[in-house]
Amino acid sequence: MTAALEPGRQQRRVLLIIGGGIAAYKVLELIRLLRKEDVNVLPVLTRAGAEFVTPLSVAALAGAKVHEDLFSLTDEVEMGHIALARAADLVLVAPATADLIARAAAGLANDLATTLLLATTAPVLMAPAMNVRMWQHPATQRNVRQLMADGVTFIGPEKGEMACGEEGPGRMTEPADLLHAVLERLNEAEFRFSSSEERPLTGRHVLITAGPTHEPIDPVRYIANRSSGRQGFALAEAARDLGARVTLVHGPVNLPCPAGVHCVAVETAEEMLRAVKDALPADVAIFAAAVADWKAKHTADAKLKKDAEKNSFTLELEKNPDILSHVGHLEKDRPKLVVGFAAETGDPVAAAREKLRRKRADLIVANDVSPQKGVMGGNFNEVILVSGKEEERWPRMMKNAVARRLMEKIAGILQDSDK
Ligand code: CTP
């Protein structure tokens, strides 16, 4: 799967809903980039959006009529709003404001934009842009989780200095990255199977671990890490879409369980190991969890008090079980394919090779998490697949595109091993 549209294909159409935020000006550049890639843009401008960019500039760049009004007689005669919703291969909301996100999450249809979002059957991509506090508000986060559970994909917001002068997540993703995401999503949307028999993972059981683990120190404290679980959850969705029965064993995360996936929520590495053993046998096991390497040797039953006399405190740690290594070394019930991840800041290939051997994995997905790559907490990932024989470098792409391509690769390996 490549990001660029392949020549000779039918022109694809993106319904572009422009919300009311200062980032709307960046959408003009995005329209230009989309047109350059031969993508047709059907622009929809909300009333608030029209306060930031004019219909004339949008129409001129898109080379198409700008739709603004749900109750426009002429628009309804030319192309009704239901037909407009159906005409798109993809819907992109940019900038997606807090208000637009809230109305979409509630399923309202009180203007053209929200009506189209309810009426469309195409994949929906949202690029939020708002003040950092508005983004972090529990109401916005609740709405985002709801939309994610409904199948909407979010790209951004990015961290940085904002028009309002504050710093933090809230900036809309840059047009070049949005273009990339749109092209990837269009290519994915084409990837459909007409019947379940055609799905390459039908009849297979895929076991996935995801997220961090929490290792208790006392009843109120624990050791944790910053893993969001996003890559593992995206893998579970991709495996499900390819027809697999999926068990997703995950640590504490802020993500809804994907529809059609069997989720097992755990806290500690020990619990994760137990849940993985219970879920076997599986055809494939993918270990995307960021398991804590260490746990407290003794967990206190009561909250630890600080000793006023002492300026330091020593917490004795002991090794957690290595879940990937345990499954990789199984004699009985070892999955046909055992896949691990390796997030590295040094040489990812050398480290992945060492992990492949030590943990007896068949494949390691290595990624460079150096800060300049912007992988941690971001939407994009750049991975290198390391197996016994070879290494394969993939270009930078969205995390769910990595998941889709990885599951396709795994399906291919399983099919070859059956021959
Ligand atoms: N892993 C696991 N159980 C553990 C630690 C890691 O299943 N206790 C899995 C991870 O899910 C990942 C792979 O092993 O698929 C590599 O994890 P990583 O933390 O990079 O490896 P470590 O063995 O902990 O090596 P490092 O010294 O680099 O931390």
Side-chain angles (χ1 to χ4, degrees):
M1 214 185 298
T2 55
L5 293 180
E6 282 158 29
R9 280 197 190 159
Q10 216 190 341
Q11 251 198 350
R12 261 80 65 88
R13 304 215 267 191
V14 170
L15 186 74
L16 176 62
I17 298 175
I18 306 171
I22 185 67
Y25 80 90
K26 290 193 199 171
V27 172
L28 298 177
E29 169 67 1
L30 175 65
I31 296 173
R32 200 184 62 77
L33 295 174
L34 285 167
R35 295 285 313 279
K36 244 174 91 183
E37 292 289 340
D38 230 11
V39 177
N40 266 338
V41 178
L42 302 169
V44 174
L45 194 55
T46 64
R47 187 164 298 172
E51 298 289 334
F52 293 89
V53 289
T54 68
L56 190 61
S57 25
V58 174
L61 284 163
K65 180 184 169 58
V66 178
H67 299 266
E68 290 182 88
D69 194 357
L70 181 57
F71 301 108
S72 157
L73 257 184
T74 47
D75 283 8
E76 280 299 311
V77 172
E78 285 167 20
M79 188 191 265
H81 60 270
I82 299 295
L84 187 58
R86 300 270 158 81
D89 298 298
L90 177 79
V91 179
L92 171 67
V93 185
T97 59
D99 175 68
L100 206 41
I101 287 173
R103 286 187 291 127
L108 294 184
N110 53 2
D111 66 356
L112 182 60
T114 46
T115 304
L116 292 170
L117 285 169
L118 268 191
T120 189
T121 52
V124 178
L125 201 59
M126 290 196 177
M130 66 194 74
N131 168 274
V132 56
R133 283 174 222 287
M134 290 171 76
W135 171 250
Q136 287 168 343
H137 194 283
T140 304
Q141 290 303 309
R142 188 170 63 235
N143 293 330
V144 168
R145 277 198 301 277
Q146 180 60 57
L147 287 169
M148 281 167 77
D150 295 345
V152 171
T153 303
F154 280 83
I155 166 155
E158 315 296 333
K159 283 189 189 143
E161 201 186 320
M162 307 186 50
C164 57
E166 289 191 62
E167 284 258 354
R171 283 169 64 94
M172 192 175 81
T173 300
E174 290 302 318
D177 280 342
L178 282 180
L179 172 76
H180 203 77
V182 164
L183 295 179
E184 269 177 1
R185 206 71 175 89
L186 280 173
N187 286 337
E188 265 177 45
E190 280 219 328
F191 186 76
R192 298 220 193 284
F193 299 97
S194 52
S195 74
S196 62
E197 288 75 51
E198 285 178 37
R199 298 182 195 199
L201 289 177
T202 298
R204 309 278 194 183
H205 179 206
V206 176
L207 169 61
I208 298 170
T209 68
T213 62
H214 285 183
E215 309 297 333
I217 297 169
D218 68 13
V220 295
R221 302 182 178 96
Y222 55 81
I223 301 168
N225 62 64
R226 292 186 197 279
S227 165
S228 67
R230 243 139 117 194
Q231 187 67 79
F233 274 61
L235 281 164
E237 286 178 3
R240 173 205 63 195
D241 290 348
L242 296 191
R245 174 166 76 84
V246 185
T247 305
L248 176 61
V249 178
H250 65 83
V253 291
N254 212 356
L255 297 168
C257 178
V261 168
H262 176 53
C263 289
V264 183
V266 298
E267 291 257 337
T268 65
E270 293 280 359
E271 286 171 15
M272 189 172 271
L273 175 63
R274 223 170 302 136
V276 163
K277 284 181 183 170
D278 288 348
L280 290 173
D283 298 280
V284 183
I286 307 174
F287 297 89
V291 184
D293 288 326
W294 305 96
K295 64 177 175 184
K297 188 159 185 189
H298 306 286
T299 305
D301 293 333
K303 188 181 162 200
L304 292 172
K305 289 282 181 199
K306 63 178 167 295
D307 186 338
E309 304 293 304
K310 288 187 183 165
N311 278 329
S312 66
F313 167 72
T314 306
L315 181 66
E316 198 178 348
L317 300 176
E318 70 178 357
K319 249 201 185 136
N320 255 329
D322 190 314
I323 305 167
L324 164 58
S325 184
H326 172 87
V327 174
H329 283 90
L330 281 178
E331 294 294 332
K332 190 171 159 275
D333 275 351
R334 185 188 188 276
K336 282 197 194 97
L337 209 56
V338 174
V339 183
F341 272 74
E344 308 292 341
T345 48
D347 175 1
V349 174
R353 286 228 166 278
E354 188 275 322
K355 280 176 194 173
L356 191 78
R357 191 186 43 75
R358 176 164 46 94
K359 304 190 185 212
R360 259 191 96 214
D362 302 298
L363 186 69
I364 294 278
V365 184
N367 60 352
D368 184 349
V369 290
S370 311
Q372 65 270 26
K373 297 277 181 187
V375 169
M376 291 304 273
N379 291 290
F380 288 86
N381 206 351
E382 196 177 321
V383 304
I384 308 166
L385 262 52
V386 180
S387 64
K389 295 174 252 129
E390 48 183 14
E391 62 203 54
E392 197 177 306
R393 281 169 198 272
W394 288 0
R396 182 170 176 269
M397 54 180 124
M398 277 181 83
K399 283 183 177 168
N400 50 5
V402 171
R404 165 75 77 169
R405 188 162 158 181
L406 185 61
M407 290 316 307
E408 284 170 22
K409 169 120 194 149
I410 285 171
I413 296 173
L414 284 181
Q415 269 164 357
D416 288 347
S417 76
D418 286 349
K419 280 179 195 159

